[in-house]
Amino acid sequence: MSNNTVTVAGVEISTDHFIGGKRVASANRFANISPVDGSHLGDLSAGGKIEANAAVEAARKAFPAWAALGPKGRLPILKKFAEGILARANELAAVETMDNGSLLTGNVHRVIPRAAHNIDFFAEWALTLEGHTIDSPEVVNHVKYDPSGVAILITPWNAPFMLTTWKVGPALAAGNTIVIKPPEWAPLTCSLMADIAKAAGVPDGVLNVVQGIGEDAGDALVNHPDVDRISFTGSTDTAKIIGQAAARSITPMSSELGGKSPFIICADADLDAAAQTVAAQYMNAGQVCLAGTRIMVEKKIEEQFLEKVRGASSHMIVGDPRDKDTRVGPLIHKEHFDRVAGFVERAKADGAVPVWGGGRSNFGDLYFEPTLFADVNPTLEISQREVFGPVLTWQSFSSDDEVVTLANNTKYGLAGTLFSRNEKRAMDIASQVAAGTLWVNCFFVRDLAAPFGGSRDSGIGREGGSWSFDFYSDIKNISVRKGSFA
Ligand code: ADP
């Protein structure tokens, strides 16, 4: 049992794995650097095959007892887990901000409370799945949601705590045991999650954390022969690699991947609300998979709307994410900054012209200016590939058919946003855009009961409400002949 820790934002955090209820150290370590100010937050245990094997073994051992508790038995433990998250919300928010550069006020008020809700919502929802029957002429079909076994949960750095709980909640509520592989660029809040789970009474081995580099720790987990589910959120390229491992063992995999989502503004829209929402796409420095990064404006309002967006974007202050006035914090890492800057430079070389922004902000090394490219040819790389930075493109359209074609002109299909006051028109366009979620006159609203996921290169499967349990359960039908019992 190790007790290596670092203190970040005044919070003491273990730097080691969490396996079978114990902290386990590795000789290999990886450095964790804050994007906020470049400070070295600590060196963390970097796992590989040995740690992956130990964690899967611990999860397998803990599985029968956790599964046997049933949704009712798991509910009080998971509710305590959610309460534990809320009780430490300020600490979690502050650590997350230092670890990945996300806005502190957003973390305190929205992200961490939402993460807690991911746990108690699915614990409650599991109760609703019990006792479901389908009546047939000869038989009664008793539909049972059995736990599937050991689930591997792999998450990205842009919202690590939130996105991990979005998997942890339903996976545990369904009766699985889990091994989490947190992102190597922002692993700290997942380490705290393990402590909170333990304090809430989640039994040893039910929730395990193996830290490390994706190609080592992540690869060892997804290739482990004794896992039952793989849930992944990250890039499309990594999903293709993990998908090959899943295919070899026929392990069900769900994947939530990138996007290049259209944001359509019709001339009849509430243009002030639409402009505010366009500017909001710069939040978290655009490191949001759901961001509507391809702005499509009806031609007759183009100039007027550009001025409104210019006004709204002037409030997108670049700065320290701990400052309450900041709207755009840093990019996560030098490697990622170079990637974003590379997209922008190639776009300029391709002839795209930035209307504003277009380079590093004066605020600091990893800070990028909110950027808008106008009149962008839809075939350019900047119109086609996910940048994952504060970079928007702007196109105009003259007809609804044209905007639907433009909107669907990438390989992605994660989300879309549309502003119009005409219900019929809005619903017609929305139903033709390829996307898992289409927001009309709103953005980022996500009811946990509603389906969520991406089409095409944006992912496989849907989660939320019962869809989460379809993935994390082995669904069984016990089909009983009527009148056949003594
Ligand atoms: P991003 O571009 O958002 O960093 P990645 O797909 O690279 O997305 O990473 C998302 C998660 O996937 C991270 O936790 C990372 O460590 C993990 N990962 C990366 N490569 C692999 C791999 N080959 N096998 C398993 N997990 C991986």
Side-chain angles (χ1 to χ4, degrees):
M1 178 100 165
S2 69
N3 60 353
N4 301 310
T5 62
V6 285
T7 300
V8 173
V11 184
E12 192 177 12
I13 308 158
S14 170
T15 56
D16 294 327
H17 314 289
F18 185 75
I19 298 175
K22 295 190 177 59
R23 290 291 173 179
V24 175
S26 298
N28 282 341
R29 318 286 289 180
F30 64 99
N32 185 20
I33 308 292
S34 173
V36 177
D37 54 7
S39 58
H40 177 231
L41 299 179
D43 291 327
L44 279 78
S45 281
K49 259 197 176 147
I50 292 172
E51 293 82 355
N53 289 347
V56 173
E57 198 180 307
R60 179 63 61 197
K61 202 168 143 213
F63 174 63
W66 183 246
L69 279 179
K72 281 194 197 70
R74 292 188 286 269
L75 181 68
I77 301 172
L78 293 175
K79 282 196 141 189
K80 237 180 140 193
F81 186 6
E83 285 159 17
I85 292 171
L86 283 180
R88 299 191 68 182
N90 287 341
E91 292 173 85
L92 288 162
V95 172
E96 194 82 305
T97 293
M98 283 310 288
D99 210 8
N100 79 344
S102 51
L103 302 178
L104 181 60
T105 47
N107 284 342
V108 171
H109 297 297
R110 285 186 297 103
V111 177
I112 304 297
R114 172 63 172 224
H117 193 41
N118 282 337
I119 305 292
D120 62 19
F121 174 89
F122 287 106
E124 301 260 8
W125 191 280
L127 303 177
T128 70
L129 301 171
E130 292 196 308
H132 182 53
T133 58
I134 299 166
D135 196 42
S136 304
E138 289 176 38
V139 299
V140 177
N141 302 284
H142 299 262
V143 179
K144 293 191 72 227
Y145 283 75
D146 289 343
S148 60
V150 176
I152 305 298
L153 312 181
I154 301 186
T155 52
W157 46 261
N158 60 324
F161 196 78
M162 221 291 289
L163 291 174
T164 304
T165 52
W166 159 249
K167 299 179 187 302
V168 169
L172 291 185
N176 305 290
T177 54
I178 59 177
V179 183
I180 301 165
K181 209 304 276 170
E184 54 268 49
W185 283 350
L188 295 177
T189 48
C190 283
S191 182
L192 290 172
M193 188 188 301
D195 295 337
I196 296 169
K198 187 166 172 102
V202 174
D204 291 351
V206 169
L207 180 154
N208 306 276
V209 179
V210 174
Q211 303 173 148
I213 307 303
E215 290 77 2
D216 302 331
D219 181 79
L221 287 167
V222 299
N223 281 292
H224 195 290
D226 193 28
V227 305
D228 302 285
R229 292 291 183 275
I230 298 170
S231 177
F232 171 73
T233 301
S235 64
T236 306
D237 288 345
T238 304
K240 289 178 184 169
I241 297 170
I242 295 177
Q244 290 175 28
R248 276 193 291 276
S249 54
I250 324 180
T251 302
M253 171 187 176
S254 87
S255 53
E256 290 175 18
L257 311 175
K260 188 80 183 168
S261 299
F263 190 134
I264 301 167
I265 302 99
C266 298
D268 56 40
D270 175 341
L271 296 186
D272 291 314
Q276 297 289 339
T277 313
V278 168
Q281 309 306 308
Y282 290 127
M283 303 277 273
N284 268 343
Q287 299 166 117
V288 178
C289 54
L290 296 166
T293 50
R294 290 185 298 138
I295 313 303
M296 296 166 191
V297 188
E298 195 164 357
K299 217 175 190 79
K300 55 186 155 191
I301 52 147
E302 201 179 359
E303 279 172 34
Q304 173 195 2
F305 190 64
L306 180 63
E307 290 319 304
K308 285 186 187 287
V309 174
R310 190 192 300 276
S313 298
S314 67
H315 301 293
M316 291 292 118
I317 296 165
V318 179
D320 188 315
R322 294 168 292 187
D323 183 337
K324 69 174 178 19
D325 294 327
T326 295
R327 294 289 172 273
V328 180
L331 295 173
I332 180 85
H333 193 277
K334 165 91 171 65
E335 199 178 306
H336 186 57
F337 183 97
D338 290 345
R339 192 173 167 274
V340 170
F343 274 116
V344 169
E345 289 315 312
R346 289 192 297 280
K348 289 180 191 165
D350 286 343
V353 181
V355 186
W356 53 76
R360 187 193 304 275
S361 149
N362 292 333
F363 188 80
D365 279 355
L366 295 183
Y367 293 76
F368 205 91
E369 293 175 313
T371 296
L372 177 74
F373 282 105
D375 268 337
V376 178
N377 178 330
T379 62
L380 294 189
E381 180 194 60
I382 197 73
S383 314
Q384 290 290 326
R385 293 200 41 208
E386 183 180 47
V387 176
F388 224 58
V391 180
L392 307 178
T393 61
W394 181 286
Q395 290 149 341
S396 62
F397 65 93
S398 303
S399 73
D400 293 2
D401 286 346
E402 185 188 356
V403 79
V404 167
T405 305
L406 259 185
N408 290 338
N409 180 35
T410 70
K411 289 184 173 172
Y412 293 106
L414 188 57
T417 303
L418 165 64
F419 272 72
S420 167
R421 283 204 184 96
N422 179 332
E423 184 175 0
K424 178 170 184 318
R425 184 180 185 194
M427 294 311 277
D428 276 355
I429 297 174
S431 55
Q432 294 178 72
V433 173
T437 303
L438 223 305
W439 285 291
V440 178
N441 301 326
C442 61
F443 176 64
F444 223 70
V445 183
R446 278 187 53 200
D447 190 317
L448 288 177
F452 175 78
S455 306
R456 312 202 284 193
D457 270 15
S458 293
I460 305 171
R462 293 291 179 272
E463 294 183 43
S466 295
W467 291 275
S468 295
F469 291 91
D470 287 349
F471 175 69
Y472 287 112
S473 311
D474 279 328
I475 299 172
K476 180 192 283 172
N477 178 18
I478 302 180
S479 179
V480 179
R481 177 175 291 282
K482 287 178 178 171
S484 63
F485 292 130

